Amino acid sequence: MPKNSSLPVTVRHATPATAPRSLWLLGPALVAGVAYLDPGNVASNMTAGAQYGYLLVWVVLAGNVMAWLIQYLSAKLGVVTGRSLPELLGARLTRPWARRAYWLQAELVAMATDLAEVIGGAVALNLLFDVPLLLGGLITGAVSMILLTVQSRRGARPFEFVIIGLMAIITIGFVAGVFVAPPDPAGVLGGMVPRFEDTGSVLLAASILGATIMPHAIYAHSSLARDRFGATTAHAGDEALRTETSRIRRLLTATRWDVSIAMVIAGSVNLCILLLAAANLAGVEGTDSLEGAHAALAAGLGPVVATFFAVGLLASGLASTSVGAYAGAEIMHGLLHVRIPLLARRLVTLIPALVILGIGFDPTLALVLSQVVLSFGIPFALIPLVVLTAQRRTLGAWVNRRWTTAAGVLASVLLIALNGALLWLVLTGA
């Protein structure tokens, strides 16, 4: 870092002078990683495995690699600047109408995400306890408000512990079936070769990536990193600069481990969902819905595996809807400079999901349509993230290396193209 004493320095008051053990620095990526295990992912991966067997294994793996880079860039932005992506965008967009327009699209994406997650929780409660979908949505919303109360009153760390605990339940719930009925190793290896079979496989590949790289996770991760390593800007001398440089270096090292662990878990679980379906549900009718997949698992592998699946789906809905509500609040605060209580916001964003459940709309179709809405938001989150982390005036000495920026641009182009293909195929009925 340059030794110019007039350079604004990020001085963290959330990290003590004697930095804690690196293990204690882990957590933000694991919370953001829950977005990669939401009901939309479950539906996409289960359908892909049931309809195309092992064909799209490579898509899950490729999506996970791109997710690692994107989530690391988001976390790095929060660590180095002490500000979230929405805050930085709010500062750059000087015209009020531009901030409002940007917020509107981000808000719609966050609400679509929340819709999928509440519906997933409601479906899981229906599968486990035969709870009506509308009541299940209310219960899911109520539990998410309790989790958000933990974040509001107790801070980032307790919230992380709760979400990580739910992630453990998700992992067990979705992975258990693979050990009961292992996939074919040759089929798995064959699925690592990039290829498509028909238009439907392209649509599912885009759906998998759309459910994996989610805009709200990008916004949320920078905010989570900021909350854990909160910062103020001050001027300092050379010694403080050296201390701060060492601290940021350590935080970024821990962040790389954090993101790696989170993506290994999320990628493994998503892969296991696809493999479970490929090995046991291929060609089975009705597996294009969560209820149908649950029934097929119960018939083929027994009620225990089906129950584990439903429990994992419930934990997925509860955890991901809490993180989604957190992301939505940060988007509003960063872009509109308005902060409303998380619980009040939770009530407002819960209404669309309850309406969908109340009128009897097909839950699985609602999940699919929510993924389409997410496709609109991908460019608005990805492009600014790559641009800001490539700017020296934003990150100073921690600016991206050229190959990192090139990889970010490549990932953005691929994801935007595939999401565009998803939109085109859905809108044209192909």
Side-chain angles (χ1 to χ4, degrees), residues 58-110:
W58 68 274
V59 177
V60 177
L61 298 177
N64 209 54
V65 171
M66 288 188 282
W68 186 98
L69 174 63
I70 292 165
Q71 293 307 135
Y72 174 68
L73 292 180
S74 177
K76 183 172 80 166
L77 192 67
V79 167
V80 176
T81 66
R83 305 177 77 183
S84 67
L85 177 57
E87 285 176 323
L88 290 168
L89 289 172
R92 299 292 177 92
L93 297 171
T94 56
R95 296 182 181 275
W97 66 265
R99 285 202 309 275
R100 294 190 189 103
Y102 200 99
W103 165 78
L104 182 60
Q105 63 79 28
E107 187 70 28
L108 290 174
V109 166

Side-chain angles (χ1 to χ4, degrees), residues 106-267:
E107 187 70 28
L108 290 174
V109 166
M111 292 181 71
T113 303
D114 199 47
L115 174 71
E117 293 156 352
V118 172
I119 288 176
V123 169
L125 287 170
N126 178 261
L127 295 175
L128 287 169
F129 308 110
D130 202 26
V131 174
L133 288 177
L134 179 58
L135 178 58
L138 286 168
I139 294 172
T140 302
V143 174
S144 69
M145 283 192 278
I146 294 173
L147 298 181
L148 289 171
T149 300
V150 173
Q151 198 276 340
S152 299
R153 298 185 178 180
R154 299 298 181 91
R157 195 59 177 171
F159 182 64
E160 287 174 8
F161 283 139
V162 173
I163 298 300
I164 290 170
L166 288 172
M167 178 180 272
I169 296 173
I170 294 169
T171 302
I172 295 170
F174 291 144
V175 172
V178 174
F179 290 95
V180 175
D184 174 31
V188 176
L189 289 175
M192 294 182 184
V193 179
R195 67 191 190 282
F196 295 108
E197 187 174 291
D198 53 25
T199 304
S201 63
V202 176
L203 177 61
L204 271 174
S207 297
I208 290 172
L209 289 176
T212 300
I213 313 296
M214 303 179 77
H216 82 283
I218 300 172
Y219 296 124
H221 203 164
S222 60
S223 303
L224 290 163
R226 178 210 60 199
D227 286 352
R228 175 70 81 81
F229 314 115
T232 56
T233 302
H235 295 281
D238 290 350
E239 184 59 33
L241 281 170
R242 283 191 291 269
T243 301
E244 182 61 14
T245 298
S246 175
R247 184 174 299 162
I248 292 177
R249 183 177 291 113
R250 185 176 185 188
L251 290 174
L252 291 180
T253 298
T255 296
R256 282 190 287 272
W257 279 103
D258 193 22
V259 175
S260 297
I261 293 169
M263 291 302 100
V264 166
I265 294 173

Side-chain angles (χ1 to χ4, degrees), residues 34-35 37-39 113-114 117 163 216 315-325:
V34 165
L37 298 173
D38 80 333
T113 303
D114 199 47
E117 293 156 352
I163 298 300
H216 82 283
S316 168
L318 294 175
S320 55
T321 193
S322 301
V323 175

Side-chain angles (χ1 to χ4, degrees), residues 42-53 204 273 277 287-289 364:
V42 179
S44 297
N45 289 310
M46 187 68 72
T47 302
Q51 292 187 5
Y52 291 96
L204 271 174
I273 294 171
T287 52
D288 54 349
S289 70
T364 301

